[in-house]
Amino acid sequence: MISMNDFTREPEALQEAMEVAFRTVMRSGHYILGTQVENFEKAWAAYCGVGFATGTGNGLDAIEIALRAAGIGAGDEVITSSVSAYATVLGIQRAGAIPVLADIHPGTGLLSTESVTRCLTSKTKAILLVHLYGQVRQMEYWKTFCAENRLLLIEDAAQAHGAKYRNRCAGSFGTTAAFSFYPTKNLGALGDGGAVTTHDPTCAMKAVQLRNYGQMRRYHHVVSGLNSRLDELQAALLSAKLPWLDSLTHKRKMIAARYRKEIHSDKFTFLLPPEEEDAHVYHLFVVNCNNRDRFMTYLKSNGIESDIHYPAALHQQPASLQIRTDSEGLPNAEKYVTTCLSIPCHPFLTDDELDHIIECINKY
Ligand SMILES: *Cc1c(COP(=O)(O)O)cnc(C)c1O
């Protein structure tokens, strides 16, 4: 079976570097908030082109902390896309704010500018922009839109490690940004992990407090915080992996380029190509097709795994039915979740496997 991810295929040199990292932490006798976390935070901030990165326990907490560190809380409305991971909406609620779900652009799966405009109220405080699948788009538009409407721009960059728009990295556009290092993400730990990035020293200081019980210094609690620290072990593993990120992203882009060039089928449509080459890091390669179940079964019978991101829009989830949405409805999101399909795009696919996938799809 050709799977959506296969970590056992990580290069030998990378696996060895991770073993060294593991042994170093194990033998250091220090497991929470030490030099490994500090070093990774510095490296991640430098990679993203921001002043500060703060490690967190996971991506959900990173969203909550990113919002709270930017000053968003009770009574504030935060507009986001209804096609995203559940953590996007839950993070807003966990920050004490009120999520408002907007529709998407069907060609990209990203937040629709018209729908966001319809969702604005006097209480709107921020837009949580999700760089879905690794796409960074229309950043000039969103920056201007937020400035004109006196809103904060916050990024959910959990799928967009290293995606660049006009030479700036995902995670460097907003007041704050949230990353996840869940194992399947483009930069993944061997467990849970996350980070908040920012240019603003005050937001960074708040993030440092919030992730560690709201402490300003030991046993001095200034806000009601979380226990959401990135482990020394995960930080060391992430530092070992970081030097590989660009070459693995390059492989994802090559796979996407082959799909776009060599798949010829009128059974489905690709998403719009990125505005510039580096503005998509292909965390997922997504197509839209009718009769999706039939196509998935066909792929499976040919030894090809596929997946759906996501099978329901956030406003359709049982836990989220009360959440306010665009008053004109979310027809694009509702249609999109019935047709979107992710096909394998991980960096360890072999040429033979890619040939097989492309051939099978073209024969369908
Ligand atoms: C993975 C993901 C998250 C949540 O990250 P966790 O580390 O699983 O909590 C948030 N937003 C998006 C868009 C994601 O893909």
Side-chain angles (χ1 to χ4, degrees):
M1 194 64 138
I2 303 175
S3 7
M4 292 296 290
N5 284 293
D6 188 352
F7 307 115
T8 63
R9 296 187 186 180
E10 281 174 335
E12 195 58 33
L14 171 54
Q15 297 197 351
E16 275 164 22
M18 289 197 289
E19 280 167 14
V20 170
F22 181 84
R23 220 175 308 128
T24 305
V25 174
M26 182 184 65
R27 294 192 178 167
S28 74
H30 195 114
Y31 309 124
I32 302 278
L33 295 183
T35 52
Q36 296 292 346
V37 171
E38 272 169 34
N39 290 343
F40 175 70
E41 288 176 339
K42 279 196 196 112
W44 188 242
Y47 185 86
C48 296
V50 294
F52 309 91
T54 305
T56 63
N58 54 64
L60 167 65
D61 290 351
I63 294 171
E64 174 183 345
I65 293 169
L67 291 165
R68 290 179 66 186
I72 294 158
D76 296 332
E77 292 182 359
V78 178
I79 302 173
T80 197
S81 165
S82 197
V83 175
S84 186
Y86 194 70
T88 305
V89 73
L90 188 55
I92 297 171
Q93 292 175 318
R94 290 260 307 265
I98 305 161
V100 178
L101 293 170
D103 206 1
I104 57 157
H105 184 301
T108 60
L110 302 179
L111 205 50
S112 147
T113 56
E114 294 86 4
S115 180
V116 168
T117 304
R118 282 193 295 272
C119 290
L120 285 175
T121 72
S122 59
K123 287 194 206 156
T124 310
K125 186 80 180 279
I127 293 186
L128 178 56
L129 200 62
V130 183
H131 303 309
L132 195 70
Y133 310 145
Q135 308 173 87
V136 179
R137 274 186 189 270
Q138 289 189 293
M139 293 313 302
E140 314 287 349
Y141 175 88
W142 289 118
K143 289 217 87 156
T144 309
F145 180 86
C146 286
E148 282 173 354
N149 291 283
R150 294 154 58 76
L151 305 174
L152 297 179
L153 179 66
I154 313 290
E155 300 169 75
D156 179 342
Q159 302 188 354
H161 310 73
K164 286 198 191 70
Y165 187 91
R166 314 249 157 103
N167 273 320
R168 285 182 56 188
C169 234
S172 74
F173 297 99
T175 300
T176 53
F179 284 93
S180 165
F181 304 117
Y182 183 81
T184 60
K185 309 290 174 166
N186 288 24
L187 179 64
L190 272 65
D192 279 308
V196 173
T197 54
T198 182
H199 297 287
D200 182 338
T202 309
C203 292
M205 184 203 64
K206 286 192 191 163
V208 167
Q209 291 172 356
L210 284 166
R211 66 131 178 233
N212 193 19
Y213 289 119
Q215 298 175 90
M216 195 165 79
R217 51 176 200 278
R218 201 155 176 245
Y219 304 139
H220 185 73
H221 301 265
V222 290
V223 285
S224 157
L226 296 77
N227 173 355
S228 185
R229 301 165 297 221
L230 181 67
D231 291 341
E232 283 285 281
L233 186 56
Q234 298 304 342
L237 293 164
L238 288 165
S239 291
K241 276 193 158 182
L242 183 53
W244 294 77
L245 179 57
D246 283 343
S247 65
L248 296 180
T249 300
H250 181 72
K251 278 222 62 185
R252 290 177 187 269
K253 287 184 191 163
M254 293 294 105
I255 293 165
R258 279 201 65 186
Y259 284 157
R260 284 188 187 280
K261 187 153 169 261
E262 296 175 39
I263 293 177
H264 307 285
S265 170
D266 53 5
K267 304 288 191 306
F268 55 73
T269 50
F270 292 127
L271 295 182
L272 292 171
E275 289 169 40
E276 48 187 271
E277 199 189 317
D278 291 336
H280 197 338
V281 291
Y282 292 98
H283 171 59
L284 293 166
F285 191 91
V286 174
V287 299
N288 283 283
C289 59
N290 298 320
N291 286 317
R292 181 174 61 192
D293 287 349
R294 203 174 143 244
F295 186 47
M296 285 182 90
T297 309
Y298 167 79
L299 289 175
K300 198 171 169 198
S301 66
N302 282 282
I304 302 163
E305 194 176 67
S306 57
D307 204 352
I308 301 169
H309 299 91
Y310 294 89
L314 295 175
H315 68 282
Q316 298 173 312
Q317 293 290 351
S320 304
L321 298 176
Q322 310 307 317
I323 292 174
R324 191 161 72 76
T325 58
D326 182 342
S327 57
E328 291 189 13
L330 287 72
N332 294 337
E334 288 172 10
K335 167 111 203 308
Y336 183 88
V337 296
T338 66
T339 61
C340 61
L341 179 71
S342 310
I343 60 175
C345 185
H346 72 75
F348 311 116
L349 289 173
T350 64
D351 287 342
D352 284 352
E353 286 171 332
L354 272 174
D355 291 344
H356 176 69
I357 295 169
I358 292 164
E359 196 191 313
C360 281
I361 293 178
N362 283 339
K363 272 195 196 145
Y364 175 65

